[in-house]
């Protein structure tokens, strides 16, 4: 099967990472990727894996006629068996152009669990509602990465009978327990094995709610807990004036280390004792939870998207945007951490949860099953 993927961009994000894993590890089909904007982080990485990548260089937030025509010609020339689009803007533009180009199998991809006025961008909300109106005509099916995302979009008016949920899958040879990586990164950071190390991996963005995380951490500190916490992701560095001011506000200068964006995320997850997701909205299937758990690192997470489903009984959850309740969840985790045998059981259970439920092979097989369905009349 010849599959063409159309995505808004190929920067460093969760949906982009899933696309990369799907295309690079699926050996049964031929994959081509078209980015509506730039090739970003994943364009070169896909090419290294032998995946053909095209970029249309559309300006952000603007659809140009020349790009539409280029996309139409590409689809006519490449003659895909299936077109898989990723995220709202690509669902709309890619789906319509693919339909006009004569493609019979078109699957939209939804990778957000909520849209909130004042938080989500207005044009993103507008595109999502437009897609709801078109969902009975354009896509053969709609693939969501999370149950919460499916429920939200059905309530928005998307065609109920088009949906399939395919959880994200992970390379478990890449994300796995690794004591040597743990020791090496801790040594690099000057953190010994006896120090409790917390961490949060995710770009600086209102959605990730680092302010709430820092507020919860100061409660933990006031309760007499000694710890260090690393923040990893885009713009999580000393040049971030807002973030630095929050750290000073909460008197966490000695506890919080800003590491910025890194490429050794498996080593980061292994170095941690506990990973914390503090997002307040917008998450569908938070990849960092499964990545941490695959490395044997238990998680505390706010109840956004499918976070609670991912964690299962291996970790702890708290409502979003409530520092006190997030601190309570972290405290519960630390009570468990103080019992060595109980904590080790948690670490094993976290790894097993991902192995049994979120393996990459399962995700690829699920996409194969959906793409192989009969063509919708």
């Amino acid at each position: 099967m010849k599959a063409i993927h159309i995505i808004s961009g190929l920067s460093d994000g969760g949906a982009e990472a899933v696309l990369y894993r799907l295309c690079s590890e699926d050996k049964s089909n031929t994959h081509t990727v078209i980015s509506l904007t730039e090739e970003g982080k994943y364009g070169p990485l896909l090419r290294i894996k032998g995946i053909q990548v095209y970029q249309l260089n559309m300006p952000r937030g603007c659809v140009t006629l020349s790009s539409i025509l280029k996309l139409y010609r590409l689809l006519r020339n490449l003659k895909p068996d299936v077109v898989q689009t990723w995220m709202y803007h690509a669902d709309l533009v890619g789906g319509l152009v693919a339909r006009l180009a004569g493609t019979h199998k078109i699957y939209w991809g939804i990778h957000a669990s909520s849209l909130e006025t004042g938080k989500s961008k207005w044009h993103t909300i507008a595109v999502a509602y437009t897609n709801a109106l078109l969902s009975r005509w354009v896509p053969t099916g709609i693939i969501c990465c999370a149950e919460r995302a499916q429920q939200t979009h059905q309530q928005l008016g998307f065609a109920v009978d088009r949906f399939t949920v395919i959880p994200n899958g992970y390379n478990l040879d890449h994300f796995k327990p690794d004591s040597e990586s743990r020791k090496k990164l801790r040594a690099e950071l000057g953190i010994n094995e006896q120090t409790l190390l917390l961490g949060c991996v995710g770009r600086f963005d209102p959605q990730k709610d680092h302010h709430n995380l820092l507020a919860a951490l100061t409660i933990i500190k006031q309760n007499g807990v000694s710890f260090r916490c690393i923040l990893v992701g885009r713009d999580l560095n000393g040049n971030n004036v807002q973030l630095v001011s929050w750290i000073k506000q909460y008197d966490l200068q000695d506890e919080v280390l800003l590491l910025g964006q890194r490429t050794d995320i498996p080593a980061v997850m292994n170095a941690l004792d506990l990973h914390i997701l503090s997002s307040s909205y917008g998450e569908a299937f938070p990849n960092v939870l499964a990545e941490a758990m695959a490395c044997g690192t238990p998680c505390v997470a706010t109840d956004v998207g499918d976070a609670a489903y991912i964690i299962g009984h291996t970790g702890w959850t708290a409502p979003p945007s409530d520092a006190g309740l997030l601190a309570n969840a972290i405290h519960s985790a630390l009570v468990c951490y103080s019992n060595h045998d109980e904590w080790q059981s948690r670490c094993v259970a976290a790894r097993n949860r991902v192995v049994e439920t979120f393996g990459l092979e399962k995700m690829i097989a699920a996409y194969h099953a959906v793409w192989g369905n009969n063509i919708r009349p």
Side-chain angles (χ1 to χ4, degrees):
M1 182 180 292
K2 185 189 294 184
I4 288 184
H5 303 265
I6 304 173
I7 190 167
S8 302
L10 288 168
S11 60
D12 192 8
E16 295 87 343
V18 175
L19 166 64
Y20 170 75
R21 293 197 295 270
L22 175 60
C23 292
S24 60
E25 298 298 330
D26 178 13
K27 308 306 180 184
S28 300
N29 299 313
T30 301
H31 297 273
T32 300
V33 176
I34 302 173
S35 169
L36 298 182
T37 54
E38 72 292 324
E39 65 175 29
K41 169 186 174 179
Y42 283 103
L45 295 177
L46 285 163
R47 288 196 181 95
I48 290 173
K49 292 289 187 176
I51 309 297
Q52 193 164 25
V53 178
Y54 297 91
Q55 61 185 71
L56 303 184
N57 296 313
M58 283 187 186
R60 287 284 176 180
C62 180
V63 177
T64 61
L65 179 59
S66 60
S67 297
I68 293 293
L69 291 174
K70 184 176 181 181
L71 177 59
Y72 177 83
R73 294 188 190 106
L74 276 173
L75 293 174
R76 292 289 290 179
N77 291 334
L78 294 172
K79 296 180 174 60
D81 297 305
V82 61
V83 167
Q84 176 69 57
T85 61
W86 297 72
M87 300 183 290
Y88 297 127
H89 295 79
D91 293 340
L92 177 59
V93 175
L96 283 172
V97 175
R99 183 63 67 192
L100 293 173
T103 304
H104 296 291
K105 285 191 172 185
I106 301 166
Y107 292 92
W108 281 356
I110 292 178
H111 297 267
S113 65
S114 65
L115 290 165
E116 298 185 34
T117 303
K119 294 181 178 179
S120 303
K121 296 176 181 178
W122 70 266
H123 54 81
T124 300
I125 295 175
V127 170
Y129 276 104
T130 301
N131 287 352
L133 295 174
L134 296 174
S135 61
R136 289 163 181 77
W137 175 64
V138 175
T140 309
I142 303 171
I143 296 175
C144 288
C145 64
E147 293 284 351
R148 186 79 61 89
Q150 174 181 263
Q151 295 163 8
T152 297
H153 289 83
Q154 287 177 339
Q155 292 168 2
L156 288 177
F158 282 71
V160 173
D161 61 345
R162 296 284 190 269
F163 282 88
T164 302
V165 176
I166 301 179
N168 294 343
Y170 303 87
N171 185 334
L172 300 177
D173 292 326
H174 187 55
F175 287 96
K176 62 183 179 181
D178 186 339
S179 59
E180 289 303 313
S181 291
R182 176 183 174 89
K183 292 176 184 176
K184 184 178 178 181
L185 184 54
R186 281 183 169 241
E188 175 191 326
L189 300 176
I191 297 173
N192 61 39
E193 186 59 34
Q194 288 69 47
T195 299
L196 171 65
L197 184 59
L198 314 178
C200 176
V201 177
R203 69 188 183 279
F204 186 73
D205 187 284
Q207 172 188 323
K208 303 300 182 182
D209 205 354
H210 288 93
H211 184 269
N212 188 50
L213 172 63
L214 295 172
L217 290 178
T218 201
I219 297 172
I220 297 297
K221 179 179 178 178
Q222 290 167 358
N223 288 338
V225 178
S226 177
F227 65 90
R228 302 296 294 278
C229 179
I230 58 175
L231 303 184
V232 180
R234 190 175 70 234
D235 296 327
L236 294 172
N237 55 53
N239 296 324
N240 188 325
V241 176
Q242 178 67 83
L243 181 60
V244 171
S245 71
W246 288 341
I247 292 171
K248 290 180 179 178
Q249 173 188 343
Y250 289 112
D251 190 27
L252 292 170
Q253 299 95 315
D254 294 334
E255 285 76 22
V256 174
L257 295 175
L258 303 178
L259 302 189
Q261 195 160 0
R262 296 181 67 105
T263 58
D264 58 345
I265 300 304
V268 169
M269 295 306 192
N270 272 284
L272 299 179
D273 294 306
L274 180 70
H275 183 273
I276 305 168
L277 177 81
S278 55
S279 297
S280 58
Y281 68 96
E283 301 279 7
F285 195 98
N287 286 308
V288 291
L289 295 179
E291 290 170 355
M293 291 165 59
C295 295
T297 300
C299 295
V300 168
T302 46
D303 188 10
V304 290
D306 274 17
Y309 169 67
I310 297 168
I311 289 175
H313 298 295
T314 73
W316 301 262
T317 59
S321 306
D322 190 317
L325 292 179
L326 180 58
N328 288 346
I330 296 171
H331 174 74
S332 296
L334 297 185
V335 170
C336 179
Y337 175 77
S338 66
N339 183 316
H340 180 269
D341 290 342
E342 185 178 345
W343 188 253
Q344 290 306 307
S345 295
R346 289 272 184 172
C347 295
V348 171
R351 166 73 179 179
N352 288 343
R353 170 76 175 157
V354 179
V355 170
E356 294 167 3
T357 313
F358 308 120
L360 184 57
E361 296 80 6
K362 288 187 177 182
M363 183 188 79
I364 293 173
Y367 272 93
H368 287 180
V370 171
W371 293 341
N373 283 343
N374 292 329
I375 297 172
R376 178 173 59 85

